[in-house]
Amino acid sequence: RSFSLEGIRDVSNRVQQRLRLSFWRRWLAAVRHWRQLRPAHLRLGRRGEKLAARHLRRQGYKLLHRNVNFSVGELDLVTLSGRTVVFVEVKTRRLRQHGGPAAAVTRAKQLRICRAARRYLAQYRLADCAVRFDVIGIVWPQGAKPQLEHHRNAFPWRRMPPLATPLIPSGGMWQ
């Protein structure tokens, strides 16, 4: 049997291509496996955000961004309703406990959302737009249909409380 240089190159190229394909197949399989290993509460949250995004699109909102992260906080969904930028916090739970999922958006969480919203508006130069904060609470029992509650204008802009002026005691060692 005689081997030509062209034939060897052709075989070499096919082997390299198969190796590349097998690498990407293995990589994709690993990613799929990793996604399934994600904790159940994170998978539930992701499913809830997808359901909320679908609900908002059906209501006529335009989805701008999902899961926007800043050092000061995270924005689950950023949408546009008419000329209003709507920041939507999505809370998904298995059971309706302690006031439901929307009750989990505490004042501290609202402050973080407002800080992140300010950063978002500055980054995308939208400072002159009207802004609204919505909360979507989803109760999604195991093996049952989810129940979605959309709270429009759920909370106002929150600002950091002013720093208290330190009280310096009069007399004693301070004089």
PDB file of all heavy atoms in Angstrom, residues 7 27 32 34-35 37 57-58 68 70 78 91 125 129 144 150 160 162 165:
ATOM      1  N   GLY A   7      -3.024  12.257   1.251  1.00  0.00           N
ATOM      2  CA  GLY A   7      -3.853  11.314   2.001  1.00  0.00           C
ATOM      3  C   GLY A   7      -3.584  11.376   3.487  1.00  0.00           C
ATOM      4  O   GLY A   7      -4.505  11.322   4.299  1.00  0.00           O
ATOM      5  N   TRP A  27     -17.686  18.615  26.605  1.00  0.00           N
ATOM      6  CA  TRP A  27     -17.871  19.874  27.310  1.00  0.00           C
ATOM      7  C   TRP A  27     -19.354  20.178  27.497  1.00  0.00           C
ATOM      8  O   TRP A  27     -19.790  20.545  28.589  1.00  0.00           O
ATOM      9  CB  TRP A  27     -17.175  20.991  26.536  1.00  0.00           C
ATOM     10  CG  TRP A  27     -17.221  22.312  27.234  1.00  0.00           C
ATOM     11  CD1 TRP A  27     -16.408  22.742  28.234  1.00  0.00           C
ATOM     12  CD2 TRP A  27     -18.145  23.371  26.988  1.00  0.00           C
ATOM     13  NE1 TRP A  27     -16.766  24.007  28.623  1.00  0.00           N
ATOM     14  CE2 TRP A  27     -17.835  24.422  27.867  1.00  0.00           C
ATOM     15  CE3 TRP A  27     -19.198  23.537  26.103  1.00  0.00           C
ATOM     16  CZ2 TRP A  27     -18.534  25.600  27.894  1.00  0.00           C
ATOM     17  CZ3 TRP A  27     -19.904  24.732  26.136  1.00  0.00           C
ATOM     18  CH2 TRP A  27     -19.570  25.738  27.019  1.00  0.00           C
ATOM     19  N   ARG A  32     -24.351  20.372  30.828  1.00  0.00           N
ATOM     20  CA  ARG A  32     -25.703  19.874  31.126  1.00  0.00           C
ATOM     21  C   ARG A  32     -25.732  19.189  32.485  1.00  0.00           C
ATOM     22  O   ARG A  32     -26.666  19.372  33.265  1.00  0.00           O
ATOM     23  CB  ARG A  32     -26.150  18.915  30.028  1.00  0.00           C
ATOM     24  CG  ARG A  32     -26.508  19.621  28.744  1.00  0.00           C
ATOM     25  CD  ARG A  32     -27.094  18.633  27.732  1.00  0.00           C
ATOM     26  NE  ARG A  32     -27.184  19.272  26.443  1.00  0.00           N
ATOM     27  CZ  ARG A  32     -26.531  18.863  25.354  1.00  0.00           C
ATOM     28  NH1 ARG A  32     -25.774  17.779  25.404  1.00  0.00           N
ATOM     29  NH2 ARG A  32     -26.656  19.501  24.224  1.00  0.00           N
ATOM     30  N   TRP A  34     -23.695  19.731  35.004  1.00  0.00           N
ATOM     31  CA  TRP A  34     -23.499  20.754  36.024  1.00  0.00           C
ATOM     32  C   TRP A  34     -24.806  21.488  36.304  1.00  0.00           C
ATOM     33  O   TRP A  34     -25.122  21.790  37.454  1.00  0.00           O
ATOM     34  CB  TRP A  34     -22.423  21.720  35.576  1.00  0.00           C
ATOM     35  CG  TRP A  34     -22.256  22.869  36.507  1.00  0.00           C
ATOM     36  CD1 TRP A  34     -21.599  22.870  37.697  1.00  0.00           C
ATOM     37  CD2 TRP A  34     -22.766  24.192  36.345  1.00  0.00           C
ATOM     38  NE1 TRP A  34     -21.664  24.120  38.276  1.00  0.00           N
ATOM     39  CE2 TRP A  34     -22.378  24.941  37.461  1.00  0.00           C
ATOM     40  CE3 TRP A  34     -23.518  24.811  35.352  1.00  0.00           C
ATOM     41  CZ2 TRP A  34     -22.722  26.270  37.617  1.00  0.00           C
ATOM     42  CZ3 TRP A  34     -23.852  26.138  35.516  1.00  0.00           C
ATOM     43  CH2 TRP A  34     -23.446  26.849  36.638  1.00  0.00           C
ATOM     44  N   ARG A  35     -25.575  21.795  35.260  1.00  0.00           N
ATOM     45  CA  ARG A  35     -26.848  22.490  35.455  1.00  0.00           C
ATOM     46  C   ARG A  35     -27.802  21.655  36.289  1.00  0.00           C
ATOM     47  O   ARG A  35     -28.563  22.186  37.077  1.00  0.00           O
ATOM     48  CB  ARG A  35     -27.487  22.818  34.105  1.00  0.00           C
ATOM     49  CG  ARG A  35     -26.868  24.007  33.436  1.00  0.00           C
ATOM     50  CD  ARG A  35     -27.602  24.359  32.182  1.00  0.00           C
ATOM     51  NE  ARG A  35     -26.999  25.521  31.554  1.00  0.00           N
ATOM     52  CZ  ARG A  35     -27.291  25.934  30.348  1.00  0.00           C
ATOM     53  NH1 ARG A  35     -28.187  25.299  29.632  1.00  0.00           N
ATOM     54  NH2 ARG A  35     -26.704  26.993  29.848  1.00  0.00           N
ATOM     55  N   LEU A  37     -26.900  19.625  38.582  1.00  0.00           N
ATOM     56  CA  LEU A  37     -26.382  19.566  39.947  1.00  0.00           C
ATOM     57  C   LEU A  37     -26.643  20.850  40.732  1.00  0.00           C
ATOM     58  O   LEU A  37     -26.392  20.902  41.923  1.00  0.00           O
ATOM     59  CB  LEU A  37     -24.874  19.292  39.925  1.00  0.00           C
ATOM     60  CG  LEU A  37     -24.462  17.921  39.433  1.00  0.00           C
ATOM     61  CD1 LEU A  37     -22.950  17.801  39.439  1.00  0.00           C
ATOM     62  CD2 LEU A  37     -25.082  16.829  40.277  1.00  0.00           C
ATOM     63  N   ARG A  57     -44.088  39.506  29.087  1.00  0.00           N
ATOM     64  CA  ARG A  57     -44.169  39.660  27.614  1.00  0.00           C
ATOM     65  C   ARG A  57     -45.612  39.574  27.156  1.00  0.00           C
ATOM     66  O   ARG A  57     -46.043  40.326  26.271  1.00  0.00           O
ATOM     67  CB  ARG A  57     -43.312  38.616  26.918  1.00  0.00           C
ATOM     68  CG  ARG A  57     -41.849  39.001  26.836  1.00  0.00           C
ATOM     69  CD  ARG A  57     -41.082  38.155  25.826  1.00  0.00           C
ATOM     70  NE  ARG A  57     -41.145  36.736  26.143  1.00  0.00           N
ATOM     71  CZ  ARG A  57     -40.261  36.081  26.901  1.00  0.00           C
ATOM     72  NH1 ARG A  57     -39.243  36.736  27.422  1.00  0.00           N
ATOM     73  NH2 ARG A  57     -40.390  34.798  27.126  1.00  0.00           N
ATOM     74  N   ARG A  58     -46.387  38.664  27.742  1.00  0.00           N
ATOM     75  CA  ARG A  58     -47.812  38.533  27.374  1.00  0.00           C
ATOM     76  C   ARG A  58     -48.610  39.770  27.780  1.00  0.00           C
ATOM     77  O   ARG A  58     -49.637  40.064  27.182  1.00  0.00           O
ATOM     78  CB  ARG A  58     -48.411  37.298  28.031  1.00  0.00           C
ATOM     79  CG  ARG A  58     -47.936  36.019  27.397  1.00  0.00           C
ATOM     80  CD  ARG A  58     -48.540  34.817  28.068  1.00  0.00           C
ATOM     81  NE  ARG A  58     -48.034  33.598  27.455  1.00  0.00           N
ATOM     82  CZ  ARG A  58     -48.044  32.426  28.048  1.00  0.00           C
ATOM     83  NH1 ARG A  58     -48.540  32.300  29.275  1.00  0.00           N
ATOM     84  NH2 ARG A  58     -47.575  31.364  27.436  1.00  0.00           N
ATOM     85  N   VAL A  68     -29.179  41.284  35.981  1.00  0.00           N
ATOM     86  CA  VAL A  68     -28.133  42.292  35.870  1.00  0.00           C
ATOM     87  C   VAL A  68     -27.466  42.412  37.234  1.00  0.00           C
ATOM     88  O   VAL A  68     -28.123  42.698  38.232  1.00  0.00           O
ATOM     89  CB  VAL A  68     -28.716  43.653  35.438  1.00  0.00           C
ATOM     90  CG1 VAL A  68     -27.622  44.687  35.297  1.00  0.00           C
ATOM     91  CG2 VAL A  68     -29.504  43.517  34.152  1.00  0.00           C
ATOM     92  N   PHE A  70     -24.622  44.100  39.771  1.00  0.00           N
ATOM     93  CA  PHE A  70     -23.734  45.198  40.120  1.00  0.00           C
ATOM     94  C   PHE A  70     -23.167  44.886  41.490  1.00  0.00           C
ATOM     95  O   PHE A  70     -23.672  44.012  42.202  1.00  0.00           O
ATOM     96  CB  PHE A  70     -24.500  46.532  40.170  1.00  0.00           C
ATOM     97  CG  PHE A  70     -25.020  47.000  38.846  1.00  0.00           C
ATOM     98  CD1 PHE A  70     -26.366  46.886  38.541  1.00  0.00           C
ATOM     99  CD2 PHE A  70     -24.179  47.548  37.901  1.00  0.00           C
ATOM    100  CE1 PHE A  70     -26.853  47.318  37.321  1.00  0.00           C
ATOM    101  CE2 PHE A  70     -24.657  47.985  36.674  1.00  0.00           C
ATOM    102  CZ  PHE A  70     -25.998  47.866  36.381  1.00  0.00           C
ATOM    103  N   VAL A  78     -35.384  43.556  33.938  1.00  0.00           N
ATOM    104  CA  VAL A  78     -35.537  44.967  33.606  1.00  0.00           C
ATOM    105  C   VAL A  78     -36.397  45.005  32.355  1.00  0.00           C
ATOM    106  O   VAL A  78     -36.058  44.408  31.333  1.00  0.00           O
ATOM    107  CB  VAL A  78     -34.180  45.660  33.342  1.00  0.00           C
ATOM    108  CG1 VAL A  78     -34.391  47.129  33.029  1.00  0.00           C
ATOM    109  CG2 VAL A  78     -33.248  45.487  34.520  1.00  0.00           C
ATOM    110  N   LYS A  91     -39.750  36.514  43.160  1.00  0.00           N
ATOM    111  CA  LYS A  91     -39.563  35.622  44.302  1.00  0.00           C
ATOM    112  C   LYS A  91     -40.408  34.381  44.063  1.00  0.00           C
ATOM    113  O   LYS A  91     -41.617  34.466  43.872  1.00  0.00           O
ATOM    114  CB  LYS A  91     -39.998  36.288  45.618  1.00  0.00           C
ATOM    115  CG  LYS A  91     -39.071  37.379  46.068  1.00  0.00           C
ATOM    116  CD  LYS A  91     -37.743  36.782  46.478  1.00  0.00           C
ATOM    117  CE  LYS A  91     -36.774  37.839  46.928  1.00  0.00           C
ATOM    118  NZ  LYS A  91     -35.456  37.310  47.163  1.00  0.00           N
ATOM    119  N   ARG A 125     -27.712  55.471  30.533  1.00  0.00           N
ATOM    120  CA  ARG A 125     -28.095  56.871  30.311  1.00  0.00           C
ATOM    121  C   ARG A 125     -29.615  57.026  30.189  1.00  0.00           C
ATOM    122  O   ARG A 125     -30.134  57.589  29.223  1.00  0.00           O
ATOM    123  CB  ARG A 125     -27.396  57.422  29.069  1.00  0.00           C
ATOM    124  CG  ARG A 125     -25.896  57.471  29.225  1.00  0.00           C
ATOM    125  CD  ARG A 125     -25.229  58.134  28.043  1.00  0.00           C
ATOM    126  NE  ARG A 125     -23.805  58.181  28.243  1.00  0.00           N
ATOM    127  CZ  ARG A 125     -22.942  57.500  27.500  1.00  0.00           C
ATOM    128  NH1 ARG A 125     -23.358  56.751  26.514  1.00  0.00           N
ATOM    129  NH2 ARG A 125     -21.656  57.592  27.748  1.00  0.00           N
ATOM    130  N   CYS A 129     -35.896  58.862  32.465  1.00  0.00           N
ATOM    131  CA  CYS A 129     -37.061  57.989  32.274  1.00  0.00           C
ATOM    132  C   CYS A 129     -37.852  57.831  33.564  1.00  0.00           C
ATOM    133  O   CYS A 129     -37.306  57.898  34.652  1.00  0.00           O
ATOM    134  CB  CYS A 129     -36.622  56.601  31.802  1.00  0.00           C
ATOM    135  SG  CYS A 129     -35.996  56.590  30.130  1.00  0.00           S
ATOM    136  N   ALA A 144     -47.500  20.742  40.777  1.00  0.00           N
ATOM    137  CA  ALA A 144     -48.746  21.490  40.584  1.00  0.00           C
ATOM    138  C   ALA A 144     -48.482  22.726  39.725  1.00  0.00           C
ATOM    139  O   ALA A 144     -47.330  23.074  39.444  1.00  0.00           O
ATOM    140  CB  ALA A 144     -49.332  21.897  41.923  1.00  0.00           C
ATOM    141  N   HIS A 150     -48.693  39.497  40.528  1.00  0.00           N
ATOM    142  CA  HIS A 150     -47.901  40.621  40.040  1.00  0.00           C
ATOM    143  C   HIS A 150     -48.303  41.861  40.833  1.00  0.00           C
ATOM    144  O   HIS A 150     -49.429  42.332  40.732  1.00  0.00           O
ATOM    145  CB  HIS A 150     -48.159  40.823  38.545  1.00  0.00           C
ATOM    146  CG  HIS A 150     -47.306  41.883  37.932  1.00  0.00           C
ATOM    147  ND1 HIS A 150     -47.274  42.118  36.586  1.00  0.00           N
ATOM    148  CD2 HIS A 150     -46.441  42.780  38.454  1.00  0.00           C
ATOM    149  CE1 HIS A 150     -46.454  43.107  36.313  1.00  0.00           C
ATOM    150  NE2 HIS A 150     -45.933  43.525  37.444  1.00  0.00           N
ATOM    151  N   MET A 160     -30.696  55.497  51.090  1.00  0.00           N
ATOM    152  CA  MET A 160     -30.006  55.125  52.319  1.00  0.00           C
ATOM    153  C   MET A 160     -30.412  56.107  53.412  1.00  0.00           C
ATOM    154  O   MET A 160     -30.490  57.309  53.173  1.00  0.00           O
ATOM    155  CB  MET A 160     -28.489  55.211  52.128  1.00  0.00           C
ATOM    156  CG  MET A 160     -27.893  54.054  51.401  1.00  0.00           C
ATOM    157  SD  MET A 160     -27.977  52.550  52.331  1.00  0.00           S
ATOM    158  CE  MET A 160     -26.968  52.939  53.734  1.00  0.00           C
ATOM    159  N   PRO A 162     -29.967  58.670  56.299  1.00  0.00           N
ATOM    160  CA  PRO A 162     -28.806  59.541  56.553  1.00  0.00           C
ATOM    161  C   PRO A 162     -28.019  59.021  57.749  1.00  0.00           C
ATOM    162  O   PRO A 162     -28.587  58.470  58.677  1.00  0.00           O
ATOM    163  CB  PRO A 162     -29.426  60.909  56.833  1.00  0.00           C
ATOM    164  CG  PRO A 162     -30.845  60.637  57.181  1.00  0.00           C
ATOM    165  CD  PRO A 162     -31.230  59.347  56.507  1.00  0.00           C
ATOM    166  N   THR A 165     -25.724  61.686  63.245  1.00  0.00           N
ATOM    167  CA  THR A 165     -24.652  62.527  63.745  1.00  0.00           C
ATOM    168  C   THR A 165     -24.181  61.943  65.069  1.00  0.00           C
ATOM    169  O   THR A 165     -24.998  61.717  65.965  1.00  0.00           O
ATOM    170  CB  THR A 165     -25.158  63.962  63.966  1.00  0.00           C
ATOM    171  OG1 THR A 165     -25.747  64.419  62.765  1.00  0.00           O
ATOM    172  CG2 THR A 165     -24.028  64.880  64.402  1.00  0.00           C
TER     173      THR A 165
END
